[in-house]
Amino acid sequence: MKIDKTLIVILSDYPYNSGEPFFENEISFLSKSFKHIFVYSVMGKKDEMQTRTYPENVECVPLGCSHNRLKYCIKGLFSNHNNFPIINKNIKRLLLNAYIYGRNNEIYRKIKKHIISKNINLRDCVVYSYWLTLGISAIKLKKHIQKKCDYVPFAISRCHRYDLYSDVNKYNYQPLQKETIGLLDCVCSCSDSGTNYLKQLYPDQSKKIITSKLGTKFHELRLHKKESDKKYLVTCSGLRPVKRLDLFAEGFVLASKQNEDIHWVCMGDGEEKNKIIDVINQNSLCDRVTFMGDLSNDDVYKYYEGTDVFCFVNTSSSEGIPVSIMEAISYGIPVIATDVGGSGEIVNSSNGILLSKDCTKEDVSKAILKLCNLNEEDYHRLRLNSRSKWEKEYNADDNYEKWVSILLNKTFE
């Protein structure tokens, strides 16, 4: 049932391009509970084609902000910083602070301009930043609403990976993170790993730091066909250095020398594609690798529903907690993954193989062959355990119902 309450969401790219594909699962739940939802797409542009659909009570507003570092550094340096001290003894960190603050300040100003021009009633609203690095704009918007409406809205942010861990960013530093968390009402990591990380960094803020898991939609469990000879290994991610698909390619090459039945289906595209193709070509394995390119969520689901996928693989060097793995286990697919971020919360020996973060191509190959050599009973058990893991912890119906309750009732302690 919809409550007469407005939700403001600030995110990066949705519903344009390929940004935040996993938010598509969430928005359908949010729209059933909030009467009005305004989604502000920071990177979205007015003349861009929308790549995703959304419910009728959702209005998406493209802000057209760039990543122009010089522009936002200058803006950040010469603006009123209020509660965000950008000064730092390290000049590189100072400039990062200025960039993040300057960009958030512009995001806030554009949102405020839209709110005023549309005369949006914000007397009863929630301000929600999908990324912690956009949290400053949510804080500024909260203060604006408080001043204009004599009402204090709830300001909350999710956090995932690049907006959370210091070691994934330049100079081992997350700009203005401490101040942002201190001024938000609640910060929700998508994994327990992320929650524990932030609580150790900021123990005085631990009460407002919680885990709120993402989730994927229900799908019928696909049973493995005993008579199937081909073993399809699927990866699904951007082809970027952090995903280490070149490492998987090398492990796949080694495993292919011992098992002629394995076939790699690579979903996604990106800057590393040619590097990966070179590895495959040099080993004459073109006929055993299929590059699918970027796929919509629906196309990924259709593939899982129509193909007997043997295993899903993720060899990232860093993760929040992969939605792609949630999607795979919802179909009862076993998983090979590296123990980074929250991946160890979703993959273990009961539903797959968890590799060391620093695993080698030999380790990847051994994991593939280990699954291939399982007897039918043990392999079937992995499939059932994958599905059970999804049902207990990553079912969108359960997780987003809890999330909506947090947003509406501010019940997170």
Side-chain angles (χ1 to χ4, degrees):
M1 183 182 72
K2 289 187 179 69
I3 295 176
D4 191 8
K5 201 175 185 77
T6 299
L7 177 65
I8 293 174
V9 186
I10 307 168
L11 38 62
S12 181
D13 221 11
Y14 177 93
Y16 307 95
N17 301 310
S18 58
E20 293 112 348
F22 28 83
F23 185 68
E24 204 164 10
N25 291 326
E26 182 176 333
I27 190 65
S28 60
F29 289 89
L30 297 175
S31 68
K32 294 173 185 176
S33 300
F34 288 88
K35 189 172 182 180
H36 304 289
I37 299 178
F38 294 92
V39 173
Y40 291 97
S41 176
V42 171
M43 297 288 289
K45 298 180 177 65
K46 290 181 180 179
D47 57 350
E48 280 186 307
M49 183 181 295
Q50 294 181 9
T51 55
R52 308 182 193 285
T53 58
Y54 44 83
E56 290 184 358
N57 64 324
V58 176
E59 180 179 345
C60 290
V61 183
L63 300 182
C65 297
S66 67
H67 278 301
N68 190 317
R69 290 191 176 274
L70 177 60
K71 170 185 172 182
Y72 293 123
C73 277
I74 293 172
K75 287 192 174 217
L77 286 170
F78 296 99
S79 60
N80 186 346
H81 304 137
N82 297 319
N83 296 305
F84 295 94
I86 70 167
I87 302 302
N88 192 294
K89 292 180 181 179
N90 184 313
I91 185 63
K92 293 178 179 178
R93 291 186 175 186
L94 185 155
L95 292 175
L96 276 177
N97 286 344
Y99 165 73
I100 287 294
Y101 186 82
R103 190 165 186 261
N104 270 271
N105 204 31
E106 178 164 300
I107 292 166
Y108 156 67
R109 290 180 182 280
K110 288 190 172 186
I111 295 173
K112 184 175 74 169
K113 182 179 179 180
H114 178 263
I115 288 172
I116 294 172
S117 67
K118 296 292 184 178
N119 196 26
I120 299 172
N121 183 3
L122 297 178
R123 183 63 184 82
D124 195 3
C125 73
V126 174
V127 182
Y128 164 28
S129 167
Y130 197 76
W131 304 96
L132 190 53
T133 45
L134 299 176
I136 294 173
S137 57
I139 292 165
K140 284 178 163 290
L141 191 58
K142 171 184 175 176
K143 291 182 178 180
H144 168 74
I145 295 169
Q146 182 177 353
K147 182 178 178 180
K148 294 296 181 181
C149 303
D150 193 27
Y151 160 74
V152 184
F154 186 56
I156 187 169
S157 179
R158 282 196 185 274
C159 54
H160 306 260
R161 182 190 72 88
Y162 88 87
D163 59 333
L164 169 60
Y165 300 107
S166 293
D167 62 359
V168 303
N169 272 356
K170 284 186 176 181
Y171 320 120
N172 193 32
Y173 179 63
Q174 281 287 354
L176 303 173
Q177 187 179 75
K178 177 181 179 181
E179 292 78 14
T180 302
I181 292 174
L183 291 170
L184 286 166
D185 296 305
C186 182
V187 174
C188 303
S189 169
C190 60
S191 70
D192 290 330
S193 172
T195 297
N196 294 333
Y197 172 83
L198 287 180
K199 284 187 173 183
Q200 288 176 6
L201 274 182
Y202 313 112
D204 57 326
Q205 303 292 337
S206 61
K207 288 185 178 180
K208 66 167 70 171
I209 301 169
I210 64 170
T211 301
S212 178
K213 294 180 179 179
L214 305 177
T216 58
K217 296 177 182 178
F218 171 85
H219 303 285
E220 294 294 339
L221 175 62
R222 183 177 173 84
L223 298 177
H224 182 62
K225 297 177 183 178
K226 293 182 180 180
E227 65 273 15
S228 176
D229 291 327
K230 284 190 176 181
K231 292 179 169 57
Y232 291 99
L233 312 177
V234 172
T235 60
C236 183
S237 70
L239 308 188
R240 295 177 284 121
V242 69
K243 298 300 181 180
R244 294 196 299 191
L245 271 302
D246 56 329
L247 171 65
F248 174 73
E250 292 169 351
F252 176 79
V253 167
L254 289 179
S256 296
K257 293 176 180 178
Q258 298 186 51
N259 190 312
E260 296 180 354
D261 293 329
I262 61 174
H263 189 105
W264 176 18
V265 177
C266 180
M267 300 178 179
D269 207 343
E271 63 201 83
E272 294 272 288
K273 184 174 182 179
N274 289 336
K275 183 178 181 181
I276 296 164
I277 289 176
D278 286 343
V279 174
I280 299 305
N281 288 344
Q282 288 166 12
N283 292 276
S284 303
L285 289 173
C286 298
D287 59 335
R288 292 168 66 179
V289 180
T290 303
F291 288 94
M292 304 284 284
D294 284 329
L295 299 177
S296 67
N297 279 10
D298 287 341
D299 286 339
V300 172
Y301 300 153
K302 286 176 184 176
Y303 183 84
Y304 288 154
E305 289 162 5
T307 308
D308 199 23
V309 177
F310 179 75
C311 177
F312 184 89
V313 186
N314 181 305
T315 50
S316 294
S317 60
S318 179
E319 283 288 357
I321 189 164
V323 174
S324 58
I325 294 182
M326 298 176 203
E327 291 171 338
I329 66 173
S330 74
Y331 287 93
I333 300 171
V335 179
I336 296 173
T338 43
D339 189 8
V340 293
S343 294
E345 298 169 28
I346 193 170
V347 181
N348 54 47
S349 59
S350 72
N351 67 343
I353 297 174
L354 192 64
L355 298 171
S356 163
K357 174 183 178 180
D358 302 316
C359 63
T360 64
K361 62 182 179 181
E362 288 80 11
D363 295 327
V364 174
S365 174
K366 288 177 183 177
I368 294 171
L369 294 172
K370 182 177 180 179
L371 288 189
C372 290
N373 292 331
L374 288 176
N375 62 45
E376 192 63 34
E377 182 180 350
D378 288 341
Y379 176 74
H380 184 65
R381 187 179 298 114
L382 289 183
R383 295 188 73 92
L384 293 179
N385 288 341
S386 269
R387 174 64 175 212
S388 177
K389 184 74 171 178
W390 175 83
E391 289 175 348
K392 292 176 181 177
E393 298 185 39
Y394 299 101
N395 186 327
D397 289 339
D398 297 333
N399 290 354
Y400 290 129
E401 182 179 338
K402 294 174 184 175
W403 174 238
V404 168
S405 178
I406 292 171
L407 294 176
L408 289 175
N409 305 315
K410 309 175 187 179
T411 52
F412 57 88
E413 294 186 12

